[in-house]
Amino acid sequence: RTRLGVAPAGTYAGIFDCASQIARKEGFSGFYRGIVPSMFGILPYAGTDIAVFEALKKELVAHYGGEPPGWAVMGTGMFASVCAQLVSYPLALARTRLQAQGMGGEANKYSGMVDVFAQTVKREGVLGVYKGILPNLLKLTPAAGISWFVFEKTKIMMGISIHS
C-alpha cells in the first residue's frame, strides 16, 4: 500500500502488479521492509493513547458525576490520539521510508531503522523525524475520537460501568 501511494504514476498497474514487481526485484524480504519500526511503534502508540484517554476519562466522569457527554468523550479520544501520535510518529516515518526505498530495483538509502533516524536528523534536523505529521494528524485524530466514543458507548450498552 505504501509503495502504491509513493510511486510515480505508471510505476505499478495495480496492487497485484506491485506485489509481483516487489517479489521479482526484491525477493520475499521486500514485503517486510519497515516491520521493525511497525512492531516497535504500536507499543508507545497504544500505551500512550490508552493511558491518556483513561486518565482524562476518569476526570470527565468525576466532573459530570457519571457518563460524560459524547462530545467530551470524542474530544478526549482525539486529544489522546494526538499525544500518542507525537510519541510514536518518528517510528511511523522510519517505517514509511524503509518501505518506500528500493522501488524499481534502486539502491537502498537506509540500512535499517536506526540509520533512518541518523540520516534524517543529520539532513533535516531533529524536527525532521516529524516530517509529514500534519496530514497524519488530520487523518487519524477524528477517527480515533469516533473510535473511543463508539467503544465507550458500546461498553455502556453492554452494561459495563463507565468507571471501567
Side-chain angles (χ1 to χ4, degrees), residues 92-124:
L93 177 106
R95 178 197 68 223
T96 301
R97 289 188 176 184
L98 287 169
Q99 288 173 341
Q101 74 177 352
M103 286 191 301
E106 293 179 14
N108 290 338
K109 293 179 183 178
Y110 309 105
S111 61
M113 179 177 71
V114 174
D115 190 36
V116 172
F117 293 135
Q119 287 192 46
T120 300
V121 170
K122 183 178 178 182
R123 285 194 318 260
E124 303 170 42

Side-chain angles (χ1 to χ4, degrees), residues 114-157:
V114 174
D115 190 36
V116 172
F117 293 135
Q119 287 192 46
T120 300
V121 170
K122 183 178 178 182
R123 285 194 318 260
E124 303 170 42
V126 176
L127 292 180
V129 298
Y130 287 97
K131 189 174 187 177
I133 194 168
L134 183 60
N136 200 61
L137 288 168
L138 293 172
K139 176 182 76 169
L140 295 178
T141 304
I146 292 167
S147 293
W148 277 115
F149 171 78
V150 170
F151 177 72
E152 290 298 319
K153 282 295 185 185
T154 302
K155 282 178 21 182
I156 291 166
M157 288 171 39

Side-chain angles (χ1 to χ4, degrees), residues 29-139:
S29 64
F31 292 105
Y32 290 92
R33 287 181 191 225
I35 191 99
V36 172
S38 287
M39 300 306 286
F40 282 131
I42 193 62
L43 294 173
Y45 179 85
T48 303
D49 190 37
I50 293 167
V52 170
F53 180 81
E54 290 298 332
L56 294 176
K57 183 184 84 170
K58 182 178 177 182
E59 296 300 318
L60 284 175
V61 169
H63 177 76
Y64 287 101
E67 182 183 348
W71 64 265
V73 173
M74 196 177 306
T76 299
M78 291 170 74
F79 180 76
S81 174
V82 169
C83 294
Q85 288 177 68
L86 289 172
V87 168
S88 65
Y89 187 78
L91 292 161
L93 177 106
R95 178 197 68 223
T96 301
R97 289 188 176 184
L98 287 169
Q99 288 173 341
Q101 74 177 352
M103 286 191 301
E106 293 179 14
N108 290 338
K109 293 179 183 178
Y110 309 105
S111 61
M113 179 177 71
V114 174
D115 190 36
V116 172
F117 293 135
Q119 287 192 46
T120 300
V121 170
K122 183 178 178 182
R123 285 194 318 260
E124 303 170 42
V126 176
L127 292 180
V129 298
Y130 287 97
K131 189 174 187 177
I133 194 168
L134 183 60
N136 200 61
L137 288 168
L138 293 172
K139 176 182 76 169

